[in-house]
Amino acid sequence: MKAYLQRLCENESLTKKEMTEAVDYLFSNEVSDSEIAAFLVGLKMKGETVEEIAALVQSVREKSLSFSKKIPNVMDNCGTGGDGSKSFNISTTSAFVIAGAGIPVAKHGNRSVSSKTGSADVLEYLGINLNLPPQTTEEFLEEIGISFLFAQHVHPHIKKIMKVRRDLRIPTIFNLIGPLTNPVQLDSQLLGIYRRDLIDHFAEVLKSLGRKRAVVLNGAGFMDEASLQGENHLAILENGTITRKTLHPEELGLEIFTNEEIKGGDSKENAQILLQVLKGEKGAYRETVLLNAGIGIYANGKAVTIRDGIDLAKESIDSGAAYAKLQYLIGKSRSYKIGVV
């Protein structure tokens, strides 16, 4: 590890083989917290390459719990976090809207690291079991059309690294690669990232992971979600080709809201916002979810355009389908706890 740390200090990138070896050491019992912290900060200061990101993702996925069942047309809409916006749980709320539109969603997420409330925190507050075995997760995904994969549970080898991340309290490469490490075999993906300079990098990594379609986006104000505040930057992967696009909410007939207007709070407050949106309450929260869910439905390929995706998102909420997905998942999760499933 000393040699790799020296390379990073000298602003030198690691090859895919070197990165794989370094990551294997990070996951070993021999590494110290100080070495983990130095490695993460060194990568961040140097700037992560596509090869380094891909090698880390591959190593994490290889060490995760095994999800062997191939479920057709499944997608994820996880963001990286780390944008400091303190927004409500946009992608988590949007996941139920996407599922309500008829797209299976394997929602990958974690507890809060750099924000106030993570997806796992709000879903746990709502009564969803975070520690389902792979077989049950796959059963829920097939039966309900949505399931949650708790990162700390499905990636048991990262516990020591998570401790270091919490101590550092700054975004690192593990904030960036979280959405890429979903162990379910995904066909499509919407990935929000707080670093606009890495949009193309992440589109390339998703291409290497075999996604048929994907959208990588950075929102106005450098959010890791699409924002109604202004211009959003997108990289669209389709048929092996990556194209860039900017998107303003006015192009889609959506009202402008600032990022300040979509701030959230603790688990209880964010759970209430999620419920309000899924029950059809109008306002900035709903409009933000419509934008993000609409892009997700487009990323999956069910909608030909993002505007069409937004229309399907509206239908998912207004018909009660999105809220029904949440209630069904809560009910099945509680049944599992008492051994009924």
Side-chain angles (χ1 to χ4, degrees):
M1 179 57 77
K2 181 180 178 181
Y4 295 133
L5 290 175
Q6 186 65 39
R7 293 273 302 280
L8 295 178
C9 288
E10 294 172 358
N11 205 38
E12 294 181 11
S13 296
L14 305 181
T15 66
K16 190 170 184 179
K17 181 175 180 296
E18 289 169 339
M19 186 67 176
T20 300
E21 291 174 353
V23 173
D24 286 342
Y25 188 71
L26 284 183
F27 285 132
S28 73
N29 293 325
E30 302 170 26
V31 69
S32 68
D33 287 356
S34 297
E35 286 176 308
I36 295 173
F39 189 79
L40 297 181
V41 173
L43 273 176
K44 181 181 178 68
M45 295 298 291
K46 177 190 68 66
E48 305 86 351
T49 67
V50 171
E51 277 197 331
E52 288 167 344
I53 296 168
L56 178 55
V57 168
Q58 184 176 341
S59 294
V60 172
R61 294 184 81 237
E62 285 175 354
K63 292 174 174 61
S64 70
L65 299 183
S66 177
F67 291 78
S68 57
K69 198 165 190 177
K70 182 66 181 80
I71 298 167
N73 198 36
V74 68
M75 75 171 295
D76 189 10
N77 71 323
C78 182
T80 60
D83 61 11
S85 67
K86 297 182 174 60
S87 62
F88 75 105
N89 296 98
I90 297 169
S91 64
T92 306
T93 310
S94 299
F96 292 101
V97 179
I98 294 169
I103 300 167
V105 180
K107 183 73 178 79
H108 188 250
N110 212 339
R111 294 196 187 279
S112 170
V113 175
S114 59
S115 61
K116 194 168 184 179
T117 306
S119 55
D121 301 308
V122 73
L123 292 177
E124 185 177 54
Y125 181 87
L126 289 166
I128 293 171
N129 191 334
L130 303 181
N131 299 304
L132 299 174
Q135 182 180 354
T136 304
T137 298
E138 291 169 339
E139 287 173 2
F140 282 18
L141 194 49
E142 286 187 308
E143 183 179 346
I144 306 170
I146 186 168
S147 195
F148 182 70
L149 292 91
F150 181 31
Q152 292 182 43
H153 174 62
V154 299
H155 305 296
H157 290 85
I158 68 171
K159 287 182 180 178
K160 189 172 184 179
I161 295 172
M162 285 298 297
K163 176 185 178 299
V164 174
R165 286 179 63 198
R166 283 192 294 268
D167 291 343
L168 283 173
R169 300 299 297 173
I170 60 171
T172 70
I173 192 170
F174 274 88
N175 291 84
L176 295 169
I177 60 104
L180 299 169
T181 60
N182 191 324
V184 171
Q185 299 178 55
L186 304 175
D187 287 320
S188 58
Q189 189 161 357
L190 170 61
L191 193 162
I193 182 169
Y194 72 94
R195 283 182 54 183
R196 193 166 293 171
D197 61 307
L198 290 178
I199 289 177
D200 291 328
H201 278 36
F202 272 58
E204 289 289 350
V205 175
L206 288 175
K207 179 180 176 180
S208 73
L209 291 173
R211 302 291 187 266
K212 295 176 183 176
R213 289 178 57 92
V215 172
V216 181
L217 66 82
N218 175 263
F222 294 91
M223 286 188 69
D224 73 325
E225 312 277 2
S227 167
L228 293 167
Q229 180 170 282
E231 192 172 71
N232 299 274
H233 293 251
L234 283 64
I236 301 167
L237 170 64
E238 184 177 12
N239 298 323
T241 301
I242 297 168
T243 56
R244 287 294 297 268
K245 177 182 177 65
T246 56
L247 184 69
H248 195 283
E250 289 180 335
E251 300 172 37
L252 304 167
L254 295 174
E255 191 174 346
I256 303 298
F257 290 98
T258 68
N259 293 341
E260 287 288 319
E261 294 176 89
I262 56 169
K263 283 192 172 182
D266 60 16
S267 299
K268 180 179 180 180
E269 185 176 350
N270 282 9
Q272 288 303 314
I273 294 170
L274 183 151
L275 291 170
Q276 289 165 10
V277 170
L278 297 189
K279 289 179 179 179
E281 185 172 307
K282 302 290 196 297
Y285 297 128
R286 171 188 164 100
E287 293 295 294
T288 300
V289 168
L290 289 178
L291 175 60
N292 282 274
I295 296 173
I297 294 168
Y298 167 75
N300 172 264
K302 182 156 188 174
V304 177
T305 67
I306 294 174
R307 187 182 284 269
D308 290 340
I310 291 171
D311 289 339
L312 289 174
K314 289 178 182 177
E315 183 180 338
S316 174
I317 294 174
D318 295 339
S319 68
Y323 183 68
K325 292 291 183 183
L326 171 64
Q327 293 303 308
Y328 199 4
L329 182 58
I330 292 172
K332 291 291 287 185
S333 181
R334 286 174 175 166
S335 297
Y336 177 81
K337 288 180 183 179
I338 60 174
V340 175
V341 173

